[in-house]
Amino acid sequence: HVQLVESGGGSVQAGGSLRLSCVASTYFYCAAWFRQAPGKERERVAIIDNSFGTSYADSVKGRFTISKDGAKKTLYLEMNNLSPEDTAMYYCAADFRRLCLNDPTSYRYWGQGTQVTVS
C-alpha cells in the first residue's frame, strides 16, 4: 500500500521560513511538491528525480529548495522568504515513471496535503 504523509505546514509571517516533509512508504523515481490556493488550479512548485535533478516554478526559484533523503524515504521542501502569495495547501506527489512532468495528472500517488498560511 503506497502512502505519502506530509507534515510541517503552519502559519508564518511574510519573510519567514517553513520546512515541509513528506515520508513515503516506498522509493519513487519522480517526486514533487504541488500547491493549490483557493479558487486556483493545482500548480507544480518543485520536482526532484531519481538522479537528484531538480526543477522549480519561476515564482519560487531562489526561495524554495526541494531535496530528499533516500535512506529515510523522505522528501523535503525548504521554503524561505515566504510571501502571502505562497499561501496554499501543499501536496507531495510521486510516481514510478521515468519522466518527471509538471502536469499533476502524471502523478499517481499523493499525500493528504499540509496547509501553509503566510500573513
Side-chain angles (χ1 to χ4, degrees):
H1 178 60
V2 176
Q3 278 191 311
L4 298 173
V5 181
E6 301 109 329
S7 62
S11 296
V12 65
Q13 291 188 336
S17 299
L18 283 173
R19 188 196 199 199
L20 306 183
S21 299
C22 174
V23 180
S25 57
T26 187
Y27 295 101
F28 295 95
Y29 190 89
C30 295
W33 289 98
F34 287 80
R35 67 185 180 186
Q36 188 166 19
K40 294 188 176 181
E41 293 185 353
R42 190 166 297 190
E43 64 171 353
R44 181 260 308 186
V45 175
I47 295 171
I48 188 166
D49 65 25
N50 199 51
S51 301
F52 292 85
T54 59
S55 67
Y56 296 89
D58 288 343
S59 60
V60 306
K61 280 181 182 177
R63 301 187 298 123
F64 290 12
T65 302
I66 189 171
S67 63
K68 62 180 179 177
D69 183 330
K72 296 181 180 178
K73 299 178 189 173
T74 302
L75 180 71
Y76 302 101
L77 185 68
E78 186 75 33
M79 305 185 293
N80 297 313
N81 194 22
L82 285 160
S83 71
E85 289 70 33
D86 297 314
T87 295
M89 184 71 77
Y90 283 70
Y91 299 90
C92 68
D95 203 274
F96 297 111
R97 68 176 66 202
R98 292 179 175 261
L99 182 61
C100 303
L101 303 176
N102 296 336
D103 182 359
T105 64
S106 67
Y107 294 82
R108 283 174 288 178
Y109 305 102
W110 291 83
Q112 80 285 358
T114 185
Q115 178 68 38
V116 171
T117 303
V118 185
S119 59

